[in-house]
Structure formats: structure tokens, C-alpha cells
Amino acid sequence: MRALSRDEKKRIIKASGGSKEHILSILLALQKSSEQGLIDEDTIRLVSEMTGFTILRIKEIIHFYAMFNQSQEACHVIKICRSNPCSLGREEDIAGILFSLLGIKVGEVTEDGQFSLKYMPCAGACDIGPVVQIGDELYGDLTREKLESMIAQLNLASSKEAVK
Amino acid sequence: MNTNKNILLRGRGDIDPLSIQAYVAAGGFTALRKVSEMKAQEVIEKIMASGVKGRGGAEYPVGKKWLLIKQENKENYIVCNADEGEAGAFKDRELLTYVPLRVIEGMLIAAYTLTSKKGYIYLRGEYLKIYEMLKNIIAKVKNNGYFPKGFEIEVIVGAGAYICGEETALISSIENGIGEPSLKPPYPTQRGLYGLPTLINNVETFACIPGIMNGEGADTKLIALSGMVRNRGVFEISLDRYSVDDMINSNQFGKGSVNGEAVQFVQLGGQSGSLMFPEQMHIPYGYKWMRMAGIGIGSGAITVYSGRVSIVEYCRNVIEFFTMESCGKCSTCRIGLSYIAYLLNRLCCGNGNEGDVERIDAVAGQISQLAFCGLGKGAVNVLCSALRHRREQFLICEKDRSYFDKELSGRYI
Amino acid sequence: MSQQQQIELSIDGTHIKVSVGTTLLNAAKDAGIIIPTLCCIEECDPRAVCRLCVVETNGGSLVTACQTLCAEGMCISTCSKKVKEARRFTLKLLLTRHLNSCFACDRSQECGDRLWALCNYDNNCFTCGHSMDCQLRQYCLEYGVDARDFPILADAKATLHFANVLTYDANRCILCRNCKAVCEKVDGKIALLGRGMNAKLDFSLCDMSFCAGCGKCTEVCPTKALHPFDEKDSGVN
């Protein structure tokens, strides 16, 4: 992914609704399309121009909601649902399994910058818990085997990306 | 065999959720057509007569809410609250995924009845995957001529904030980006979005409306069954017909608890709702009988926890959730909840001090009466309920440091 | 000129008449009853965030006087046992994230503020440097909160300085947001970033010399955590 041009960002803003009411989907779309998964100062300035929100307000919005990144993320951020229906009394300790597979605890990043682990509050998928979210995808009914396979696939995808 | 009535989820899995043709063939939009030929007062009276209560958790009489808007006699807005943030609640997701047309029909009935200016669906950010689909299906319905003249429905997506499920915070999120609750009164029905009367109803509430107008009544409810049952999912049940015991064990629903373990407690309505204990699980599930026992069904979420779970740890996790979702505006909720989380955490880690349970009791009581909005007040419901019914579990933690033999990975932040 | 509708209510046993639309706080003030508040500013609409101004209604519930409007027949108590306990609770909560020397002094229980001038104790409350101006301290003394009943629940943070205009000690900030509210009327340069326990006031936009330099934000700070630039202020002792 490369850095977006000003025109490309404008197009994203317009496609996401363009107006004040749609500020959240505008910012989510910009974050998703950005190279580093962050909404930088230039982007904030552009959004301010096009929506009428002050720069200060946009910063406050970015800090208020959980789905906005405050710093550059690892390649694959694995969000573990920590809510009671998914986590309490479960046989599978997802954080523990991922620690054994990746060597990192929740809040940490692997040395190669490929994976990081975070907690997330309820994903609304309690019928398939325990659940993790990676990118936009939700994975449920997790077992050690499933997680092993997921990590392997992500590693494969990353190395293919690197070769390009 | 499921002998239940199937009104809200009719068509789930059988018909293409995005096909207007299929929906109409199955009787869809009949109610809307009826309403477009009725007087507003007749529609409201029919809804009031059904006795339907808000399905988001607050259980406010729906007909009364619509009447309040009508009586304002002003331009008004309609908002469908799809910010389903309660842990254990996923039934709105089911409706929007499988029968979105029924929800839209309900909103359109409201739009005709109240001559509304504009409608919104506020969709929680975690449900981003169905955002595009919803926008498309709304455009489709509009292009097929079902909308009142000049009426629009916008889909606003959230970005991860439980507080935006609270109606004044939801309004604030649409108006100026941040979900900050404001004082009630004035209620949204008087002064809501952009200062105008605003009808805010839950997804399931709107889904009930076509059935009511078609004469099918409103005595089915969606339940979201999760936790330690073999069969988790969203079911439609007749109110007052089954008990929670039935729903856990019946082959129609839960198919029994996992590993046959005895159920320790059940969380109803999500983590701001009521706890239910085995001695209460025979009560018919519905508004009437459970209210008499001091329990509410709330949103319809039912999460089952068996004996292996610690109720103290459960409460600690619940308070931590609310600590992180607190908007931070009032000192009570912002600091008070993190103080309770701190006390519960040290109980859970075997570092409880003598008197901790009394401390927790006192702080919870103060939060209950001092918090600015429903988040703070609701946050301590489960804890107060657990302390009332299972206080000895908490006291054990205070006294016996070896109660928890496993190290809990530092969850308190 | 239209006659404003008048309503009658009683506050602490005193019957008063006020115009419709008057808040309980103002009605009490007119009757000579002062209700404590940390987040009320004259220039701004009431925000009810500090929760200190709670009063008890005849139904036994607590409401914030700053935002609640007077209603006919209301019977309010501004100093019942319930109200006092609620205020003490709120003050104790605020202290959990208010790091300072004022309560570190182990003699503060007997001391009160009468001996400040004579005190030559090393670690006394005066070392906070803002004890004389601190409204939080005044209310704590008034309500008999003279020790930390609740533990400290925050880590020490560095004091920050901005553009030689402002000094901000986050350790003593109670997040009343008075500064932000009053700035919004002038400039709108103070940000509140994050939510819940992670909420922080951010003055970095004040750094970019867009700040009007009016100093109103420092005037309304109840603990003087925000005050005019003082390079000698290094925060918690």
C-alpha cells in the first residue's frame, strides 16, 4: 500500500458521505486506506476543510472511539474479545494459546512487526465465541488448531506480499 | 419441532434477505400499505393496544413514545438504534442481516404515521460488514416507491463506543461526532436530534411494527442465547410461555448446558441487566411474571454461566468493561467505576483487604445515585445483584487468599 | 413586557418564589444558600460533571442543582445526611487521582488551615504551592475529608509547560473541564482526548501561538492545576 494523494483522499471523503453526520465512516475509510493505518495531520486538515469540523474536534473524535488507531499498528493486529460470554470459564485461553504461538502477550508486538495482540470489548458474536478479529474479519469457535492454521495463513500472506 | 410463532424472524434462512420481491411474496409491505391509508391516530392506537414495549432494554411502551412525538406536532426525526453494545446481545445483528426489510418497513410505518422529516439507522462500528448492504437495500426500497415523499434513511456507522447506545449520546454522536450523554429531561421525544422531537427505537422494536399492523400481535420476543449452553444463537419465543430453565435445556433452544454442568447464574439483558439465579429459573420468561420477581428481560440477551465460573471474577470483568466504556464526563462514573474495579481485582487476585466487600457495597450505592447517565447507574446493577444474592462468594475472597489458585493475567489497567 | 411565570418551592425549609426556568442552584443562591460546585462557570451553561452540587428532593433522590430546574412544590434539602455523604464520596473520589502534598502531610488532620503561616514542617501542605487557591482543598476541609480514605489510583505525571503561557500539572487536575468550556467561548483550543480514565486535557494547540492569551482558563481552574506559566513548577513533590 502506498501513500494516498490529496485527490484520492477527497474521493474517499465524498464516497463516505462527505458531511458532518458521516464523520465516523469518513475517518474509518481514510484510516483503512492509509499506508500506516493512521489518520495523519494532513488528512485531518483535509477532513476539516471538507466537513466543517475544526481540527481540534477531529482529533478529539479520533481519540474517543476504540476503532481509531492512535499509533502505527503491526501488520496483523489480532483483537481478542475479552467480554464475559467469550472469555469466562472457557476451556480455551485464547491469549495463552496465542502467546505460545507468537511469543507475545496482549499489548505486545512480535519482533518482526508482523503480529500484535489487543483486547477488544464485545464484538456482538457471542454465539460463536471465543472470537478474534483480524482486520475486518471475525473468527469464531476458536480452537488451538484453528488459531495455528490462521497464523500460518497470515504468515504466508505476509511473505507473498514481501516478495512482490 | 418448533411450535413457536415465527413473526420477527420469518424468512430467516428461507428467503433472500435482499429481495424485495421475495419479501412481498411472503406478505411484506402489506402492513405499510395498510398504514398509508390509515389515520395516524389509528396506527398509534393499534400499537398502544398491542402493549409492545421497547426491545432495546429500557422496555418503554412503544405506542406511548410514538404518541408523544405526534403530540409535539413538529418536524421530527426517526432513529433506529442499532448500537447493540451489550455483551451477550446479538439479536439486532440477526435481524439486520436476515430480515432487514422488516426493520425498514417498521421505520417507514413510523415515518408515515409521524410525518417524519428523515430517518437514521445508527449502526455500531463493529457491525461495519453490513453497512454497505444496508445502504443498498434502503436505496432499493426507496427506488421501488415505498418511501413517503421526501423521506430519506441515512445509515450512520459508529466507531466503537458502547455509550453511543444511550439515546442522548447517540444524538450527540450524529450531531457533533462525539458520543456525550446529556441531561434528561428534556427527553429526545421533546428535544432530540438537531433540537427536534426524535423517535429512537431499537431494531427489534421496528421489526415488531409490521406484525402489529397485520394483526399478528407482539407477543413474541427474540432471545440471544449464549454462554455455556450447547446450542447458542438467536431464537424467537412466545412471551410467558417458556422459563429460562426450558430455554437452556429444551432441544428447541439451548439443548442443555455444556458438559451437563449445573447452571450457577444467568445474565439477562446484557451486562447492565439483571442476574438470575437457579431458584428463579422456573419463572415464565416475559415482562409480567419476571417483573413481579424484580427481574427484567431487558434486550432479550440470555447468557448462561455454569459452576466453574467465579461470580466475583464475573463482576470484576463487568465493571472493567464499563470502566473502559465510560465517556469520562462525570467524576462518579469515571473514577468510581475504576475504584470498584481496583477493589474487585484485588479480591480476585487474593489480595483482598478486610472490609473490601463493604467498601464495594458503599461505592456501588453511591454510583447508583450519583452517576450522570444510565451507563454509570446500569454498570453496578449486576454487582449489586450478585452482592445481594451471593455475598458469601465475595466474603470468601476477602478472607481466604488461596481461593484463587491461578494467577490472573493483570487485567486491571 | 411579559410577566415571567412564578413558581413556589422550598429549599431547606425556606419558601421562595422564582421564575420558571431558574435552576435550583440559582434559586438557592438568591435565598442566600450557597451550594458547593467545582465545575460551574458564569459564562458557560452548567455541565454537571463534578457532581458536588447534588441536593435531595422530597422523593429522596439526588439531583444536580446546577442543571435541575425548579418545579412547583419542590421540597429540597441542600444539607441532608444523604447529600453530605454523597459530597464526601465525590471529594474522596477526586482525591484518588489528585496527587499533591496537601494530603501527604500526616498532621493535616489536626492542622486545618490556620497554622499554615506558622508551619515549618518539611513536607507540609503549603509545599503544594496552590493550597491557598485550591477550591478542592477548601471543600475537603469543609466536609471533613481530611485524609485519604480511598487509595491513590493514578501514576505521577510530568508537569507540562505551553508556549510560556500556561503550566499544566496533570497530577492535580480533576478533569472538571472548566478550562475547555471557557476556552470554547473564546478560542476553542483546549482538547479533551480519550474517554473514561484515559481522558486527558491537551493544550498542544495552545502551543501554536493561536492561543488568545486571555488567561480565562487559568482563572476557572478550581485546583490551579492550570495556571499562568511558572517554570519553577515541577509538579508533585
Side-chain angles (χ1 to χ4, degrees):
Chain A
M1 210 185 263
R2 41 149 199 93
L4 293 172
S5 71
R6 192 181 156 86
D7 275 336
E8 280 170 317
K9 287 183 200 172
K10 273 183 160 177
R11 239 173 285 142
I12 292 173
I13 294 170
K14 287 209 185 95
S16 306
S19 68
K20 266 193 167 157
E21 286 179 348
H22 294 281
I23 187 66
L24 297 179
S25 50
I26 290 171
L27 291 172
L28 283 169
L30 286 167
Q31 178 178 267
K32 186 164 182 198
S33 323
S34 83
E35 197 176 20
Q36 303 192 321
L38 286 177
I39 303 167
D40 60 28
E41 298 279 339
D42 278 338
T43 311
I44 293 176
R45 212 166 294 129
L46 182 61
V47 173
S48 170
E49 281 168 32
M50 289 182 70
T51 60
F53 275 118
T54 61
I55 290 174
L56 187 141
R57 191 56 169 173
I58 296 170
K59 284 192 173 165
E60 289 181 327
I61 291 171
I62 291 170
H63 277 86
F64 184 83
Y65 293 92
M67 285 167 68
F68 294 123
N69 300 328
Q70 310 303 331
S71 56
Q72 191 172 0
E73 301 284 340
C75 204
H76 307 291
V77 180
I78 303 177
K79 297 184 186 169
I80 308 170
C81 177
R82 74 191 293 184
S83 257
N84 277 319
C86 267
S87 66
L88 199 64
R90 292 267 152 216
E91 299 278 356
E92 318 79 11
D93 166 22
I94 303 302
I97 295 172
L98 287 168
F99 175 72
S100 69
L101 292 176
L102 297 170
I104 51 169
K105 292 201 197 128
V106 177
E108 294 177 351
V109 188
T110 52
E111 266 189 50
D112 57 8
Q114 284 300 301
F115 293 98
S116 70
L117 296 183
K118 281 183 162 180
Y119 277 127
M120 64 178 287
C122 185
C126 323
D127 47 347
I128 57 170
V131 151
V132 298
Q133 184 173 331
I134 308 178
D136 287 341
E137 292 304 315
L138 218 53
Y139 302 92
D141 291 318
L142 294 175
T143 58
R144 170 174 276 274
E145 292 71 40
K146 267 196 182 169
L147 285 167
E148 277 174 356
S149 146
M150 269 162 52
I151 303 285
Q153 282 191 340
L154 289 168
N155 270 322
L156 198 60
S158 286
S159 55
K160 279 194 182 149
E161 189 66 32
V163 164
K164 274 196 206 152
Chain B
M1 187 182 69
N2 189 352
T3 52
N4 248 326
K5 278 197 277 187
N6 210 5
I7 304 171
L8 298 168
L9 288 176
R10 186 183 300 138
R12 171 174 70 160
D14 297 328
I15 68 172
D16 176 2
L18 306 177
S19 162
I20 297 183
Q21 210 177 14
Y23 184 60
V24 168
F29 291 125
T30 321
L32 182 62
R33 205 172 307 121
K34 278 197 194 123
V35 160
S36 60
E37 287 152 21
M38 285 167 77
K39 291 207 183 66
Q41 200 53 38
E42 286 179 68
V43 177
I44 294 176
E45 269 162 24
K46 193 149 186 178
I47 294 175
M48 286 181 88
S50 76
V52 65
K53 299 201 204 317
R55 300 293 175 93
E59 300 178 24
Y60 191 87
V62 179
K64 187 167 169 201
K65 212 184 237 188
W66 288 36
L67 183 64
L68 287 171
I69 303 271
K70 197 69 190 170
Q71 284 171 340
E72 289 285 332
N73 203 17
K74 285 190 196 137
E75 275 191 317
N76 61 76
Y77 290 106
I78 296 178
V79 175
C80 174
N81 187 344
D83 193 65
E84 187 173 51
E86 290 287 358
F90 44 95
K91 45 109 188 160
D92 293 339
R93 178 205 78 197
E94 198 83 346
L95 282 166
L96 290 169
T97 307
Y98 292 106
V99 287
L101 288 167
R102 185 159 296 123
V103 179
I104 295 168
E105 186 178 357
M107 288 181 75
L108 293 173
I109 290 174
Y112 271 106
T113 310
L114 305 173
T115 357
S116 306
K117 191 172 150 114
K118 188 173 175 180
Y120 295 84
I121 298 179
Y122 190 97
L123 181 73
R124 71 183 300 225
E126 291 82 351
Y127 290 172
L128 193 58
K129 291 201 87 177
I130 55 177
Y131 176 47
E132 290 298 323
M133 176 275 284
L134 273 179
K135 282 201 292 184
N136 292 338
I137 190 72
I138 287 168
K140 232 173 158 182
V141 173
K142 181 158 197 218
N143 292 337
N144 275 269
Y146 290 103
F147 276 40
K149 192 150 181 266
F151 189 71
E152 303 257 343
I153 297 181
E154 293 264 23
V155 184
I156 306 286
V157 82
Y162 167 92
I163 184 68
C164 289
E166 196 280 331
E167 42 184 29
T168 59
L170 193 160
I171 287 171
S172 167
S173 177
I174 299 178
E175 281 180 351
N176 48 39
I178 302 251
E180 201 185 85
S182 53
L183 188 73
K184 296 193 276 201
Y187 293 92
T189 45
Q190 302 161 294
R191 201 155 69 231
L193 192 58
Y194 305 123
L196 293 178
T198 305
L199 174 73
I200 304 180
N201 271 145
N202 173 258
V203 174
E204 188 186 338
T205 307
F206 280 116
C208 285
I209 304 294
I212 294 171
M213 299 317 298
N214 279 331
E216 293 177 292
D219 34 57
T220 62
K221 174 86 188 71
L222 293 188
I223 59 161
L225 191 58
S226 69
M228 291 152 185
V229 286
R230 290 205 183 94
N231 188 28
R232 302 173 292 184
V234 178
F235 304 96
E236 185 169 358
I237 58 146
S238 298
L239 286 165
D240 297 320
R241 174 130 158 229
Y242 304 98
S243 66
V244 168
D245 242 339
D246 293 332
M247 290 189 281
I248 293 174
N249 294 306
S250 147
N251 268 328
Q252 271 186 76
F253 308 116
K255 300 194 174 156
S257 76
V258 167
N259 297 332
E261 287 177 21
V263 173
Q264 197 194 150
F265 62 89
V266 167
Q267 172 77 73
L268 297 175
Q271 292 184 154
S272 62
S274 325
L275 283 184
M276 186 187 234
F277 295 93
E279 54 268 26
Q280 299 160 310
M281 287 178 193
H282 62 280
I283 303 174
Y285 182 89
Y287 298 103
K288 190 164 71 166
W289 302 103
M290 288 177 52
R291 263 292 153 227
M292 292 205 267
I295 314 172
I297 68 173
S299 64
I302 299 176
T303 318
V304 180
Y305 295 96
S306 65
R308 70 170 77 174
V309 154
S310 155
I311 196 169
V312 182
E313 200 180 338
Y314 180 76
C315 288
R316 189 274 311 267
N317 295 350
V318 168
I319 297 288
E320 265 189 11
F321 170 84
F322 287 112
T323 305
M324 284 184 285
E325 294 298 331
S326 165
C327 76
K329 182 162 136 143
C330 72
S331 60
T332 314
C333 177
R334 183 180 80 239
I335 311 176
L337 288 180
S338 73
Y339 180 41
I340 297 191
Y342 164 85
L343 292 171
L344 283 170
N345 201 53
R346 78 179 181 195
L347 280 183
C348 284
C349 294
N351 295 327
N353 292 2
E354 199 184 318
D356 269 355
V357 178
E358 270 196 50
R359 263 173 219 117
I360 292 170
D361 235 340
V363 177
Q366 289 288 4
I367 292 176
S368 201
Q369 66 177 4
L370 281 175
F372 185 99
C373 79
L375 187 153
K377 293 188 207 248
V380 292
N381 279 347
V382 164
L383 180 60
C384 292
S385 181
L387 285 168
R388 205 179 316 128
H389 289 96
R390 296 290 187 267
R391 198 184 184 82
E392 67 284 356
Q393 300 278 338
F394 292 81
L395 289 169
I396 289 174
C397 293
E398 204 182 279
K399 299 180 171 84
D400 183 353
R401 296 189 169 205
S402 63
Y403 185 68
F404 282 92
D405 57 11
K406 63 174 171 134
E407 195 193 287
L408 292 153
S409 56
R411 283 183 49 144
Y412 172 72
I413 303 166
Chain C
M1 188 172 72
S2 63
Q3 179 79 337
Q4 269 247 284
Q5 204 192 330
Q6 294 269 297
I7 47 177
E8 279 189 53
L9 68 156
S10 109
I11 300 183
D12 292 343
T14 311
H15 287 272
I16 53 176
K17 259 201 199 129
V18 295
S19 320
V20 163
T22 310
T23 62
L24 287 175
L25 186 74
N26 288 335
K29 205 194 314 181
D30 289 340
I33 301 168
I34 306 297
I35 296 174
T37 154
L38 285 167
C39 69
C40 251
I41 320 168
E42 249 183 67
E43 303 98 306
C44 303
D45 288 333
R47 288 162 295 122
V49 300
C50 74
R51 319 309 288 165
L52 213 53
C53 70
V54 288
V55 293
E56 189 174 354
T57 64
N58 38 342
S61 58
L62 294 178
V63 295
T64 42
C66 64
Q67 275 190 332
T68 308
L69 297 177
C70 296
E72 181 72 38
M74 257 181 165
C75 201
I76 303 289
S77 167
T78 72
C79 53
S80 68
K81 182 163 177 240
K82 198 183 242 188
V83 167
K84 285 191 185 154
E85 267 168 26
R87 289 187 190 153
R88 264 195 286 269
F89 170 76
T90 300
L91 291 166
K92 288 183 203 176
L93 274 190
L94 290 174
L95 288 178
T96 62
R97 298 182 104 80
H98 183 84
L99 281 61
N100 65 319
S101 314
C102 182
F103 279 85
C105 179
D106 53 17
R107 299 176 320 153
S108 55
Q109 245 175 317
E110 315 96 70
C111 188
D113 56 353
R114 285 168 291 278
L115 300 175
W116 279 356
L118 305 173
C119 182
N120 49 18
Y121 200 56
D122 261 346
N123 204 27
N124 66 14
C125 54
F126 203 55
T127 51
C128 168
H130 301 276
S131 313
M132 298 298 269
D133 306 314
C134 183
Q135 254 194 293
L136 176 64
R137 181 186 164 77
Q138 288 311 309
Y139 286 137
C140 284
L141 290 171
E142 194 182 317
Y143 282 86
V145 176
D146 49 16
R148 285 194 184 281
D149 267 7
F150 300 165
I152 293 177
L153 293 176
D155 297 321
K157 306 169 214 34
T159 299
L160 303 170
H161 303 281
F162 298 97
N164 290 1
V165 174
L166 294 172
T167 293
Y168 174 62
D169 182 3
N171 298 298
R172 289 183 297 106
C173 173
I174 58 170
L175 283 175
C176 65
R177 305 144 193 231
N178 285 0
C179 52
K180 181 173 158 70
V182 85
C183 186
E184 248 149 39
K185 297 266 171 188
V186 179
D187 246 348
K189 290 292 177 286
I190 299 176
L192 183 78
L193 302 179
R195 60 172 200 233
M197 301 179 292
N198 300 319
K200 289 181 183 50
L201 283 168
D202 182 82
F203 301 90
S204 52
L205 275 182
C206 309
D207 233 353
M208 288 151 72
S209 57
F210 291 134
C211 167
C214 65
K216 282 212 160 78
C217 55
T218 63
E219 283 166 31
V220 296
C221 179
T223 59
K224 299 302 171 223
L226 185 69
H227 56 92
F229 176 63
D230 175 7
E231 64 185 335
K232 285 189 249 84
D233 190 336
S234 54
V236 173
N237 298 327

